[in-house]
Amino acid sequence: MQTVTKVTRQRRKGRYNVYLDDEYAFAVDEKILISYNLFKGTTLDETAIDEIKTAEFSQKAYTKALLYATGQMRTSQQVSRKLKDQGYDWATIKDVVQRLQNDHVLDDETYAETYVDQAKTAGKLGPRGVKFKLQQAGIDQFVIEDALVAYTIDDQIDALTERVGALLEKNARHSKFLAEQKTQQKLLQQGFNQHLIQQAISEYRENEAFDTDQEWENLDRDATIAADRYASFTGWEFKTKVKAAMYRKGYNLNLVDQWLKQRD
């Protein structure tokens, strides 16, 4: 048996050094100090000392996890990964995560609901995009599905109405067809419904007059580049190669024919 003969406070808040039989033995968190009554005169056997060290190890992991989880919202899996990266064993990690859940610091359902709500407000991710992000964060599939109920079709339509115009404008240097393809591809990657994307693009085109001058300017620029590339060809072969290049870029071939006639 060994006896606690002295306890001193460290400079770091909430940390204490414990001396057994007048020799430094270990340092503990204040919670461990109180839980195990580590004050002068307490006697400890080897089993108790091992138990205290194990508890202190777990408490240290808990403190680190708590700091990580309160900096911003985290999921149970994110905290587990963080502790794993810091070298903690799975038994300790499981215990810490359970404590944080019991203390309501970790709540995957609230995390999922909050993430969905923020995603709807931002309008940058569709439901599939949100689902993918939540899966990456380690949220249970059923929890994700329950949270996504709040992301309605009307929410998607509102988000797409806001985004389609900006994306088409961003791609305005491409042909009308290619600009729409790139816009659709971007929104698909972000997890929006394909039918709703196409509908939003169609409605935008109905409400906004198409800039034919811009289309011609784009064609003239791209066709000139193609013509320079195939300058070594002549006649029918030259025209065929230029038209093929413009077709791949989504231009109307009637417009390409007009450009070629003007060039002649």
Side-chain angles (χ1 to χ4, degrees):
M1 299 288 287
Q2 298 184 70
T3 303
V4 177
T5 52
K6 184 170 65 170
V7 177
T8 60
R9 188 193 303 268
Q10 293 185 355
R11 290 184 180 179
R12 194 164 30 147
K13 185 178 179 181
R15 299 288 300 169
Y16 295 84
N17 296 322
V18 177
Y19 292 77
L20 298 178
D21 296 338
D22 295 323
E23 292 186 3
Y24 171 78
F26 46 76
V28 295
D29 183 270
E30 187 173 45
K31 289 186 177 181
I32 303 300
L33 185 81
I34 295 171
S35 295
Y36 287 89
N37 193 35
L38 297 176
F39 301 105
K40 189 174 181 178
T42 299
T43 57
L44 304 170
D45 59 19
E46 289 301 322
T47 300
I49 293 172
D50 288 342
E51 184 180 334
I52 290 167
K53 290 180 178 180
T54 299
E56 165 59 22
F57 184 74
S58 180
Q59 181 61 30
K60 188 177 291 186
Y62 177 83
T63 302
K64 288 184 177 181
L66 182 63
L67 182 63
Y68 177 67
T70 53
Q72 68 180 69
M73 287 190 69
R74 306 287 186 183
T75 67
S76 298
Q77 189 174 110
Q78 285 173 336
V79 171
S80 295
R81 290 171 182 165
K82 184 70 172 181
L83 291 175
K84 183 64 177 177
D85 290 343
Q86 292 181 345
Y88 289 97
D89 61 273
W90 282 116
T92 300
I93 293 170
K94 184 177 180 181
D95 176 66
V96 168
V97 168
Q98 185 63 59
R99 287 175 63 187
L100 290 171
Q101 290 172 341
N102 293 341
D103 293 341
H104 304 292
V105 175
L106 291 179
D107 187 331
D108 285 0
E109 291 183 3
T110 299
Y111 181 99
E113 291 168 0
T114 302
Y115 193 92
V116 170
D117 186 59
Q118 292 175 342
K120 287 195 303 178
T121 302
K124 293 182 179 181
L125 288 178
R128 285 188 296 102
V130 172
K131 181 178 181 179
F132 178 73
K133 291 292 186 180
L134 290 175
Q135 287 173 332
Q136 284 188 313
I139 300 293
D140 178 81
Q141 184 69 27
F142 293 108
V143 173
I144 294 174
E145 295 298 337
D146 287 343
L148 280 174
V149 170
Y151 201 143
T152 67
I153 289 178
D154 286 341
D155 291 324
Q156 279 198 77
I157 292 173
D158 289 342
L160 288 168
T161 299
E162 290 290 326
R163 301 217 55 214
V164 160
L167 286 171
L168 287 173
E169 183 66 26
K170 181 180 179 180
N171 292 306
R173 282 178 58 83
H174 299 289
S175 68
K176 173 178 178 290
F177 175 81
L178 193 55
E180 292 177 359
Q181 287 293 101
K182 285 182 173 293
T183 295
Q184 177 173 292
Q185 182 180 25
K186 180 68 173 180
L187 293 170
L188 282 172
Q189 290 173 347
Q190 293 172 339
F192 289 97
N193 176 275
Q194 183 172 15
H195 173 71
L196 294 179
I197 295 170
Q198 293 171 342
Q199 178 179 305
I201 292 174
S202 177
E203 290 178 357
Y204 179 85
R205 290 303 192 194
E206 288 176 3
N207 296 323
E208 298 290 334
F210 178 64
D211 191 341
T212 54
D213 289 340
Q214 179 69 54
E215 183 79 349
W216 181 261
E217 182 181 323
N218 292 341
L219 186 148
D220 181 52
R221 181 192 65 245
D222 291 341
T224 298
I225 293 172
D228 290 342
R229 183 185 307 130
Y230 300 120
S232 60
F233 297 91
T234 59
W236 177 86
E237 192 172 11
F238 168 78
K239 291 181 179 180
T240 298
K241 287 188 175 295
V242 171
K243 289 175 72 172
M246 293 300 95
Y247 179 78
R248 289 194 295 271
K249 288 182 175 292
Y251 289 104
N252 183 297
L253 291 182
N254 289 329
L255 283 179
V256 180
D257 282 333
Q258 288 181 35
W259 185 88
L260 288 169
K261 287 179 182 178
Q262 288 186 15
R263 185 177 184 278
D264 292 340

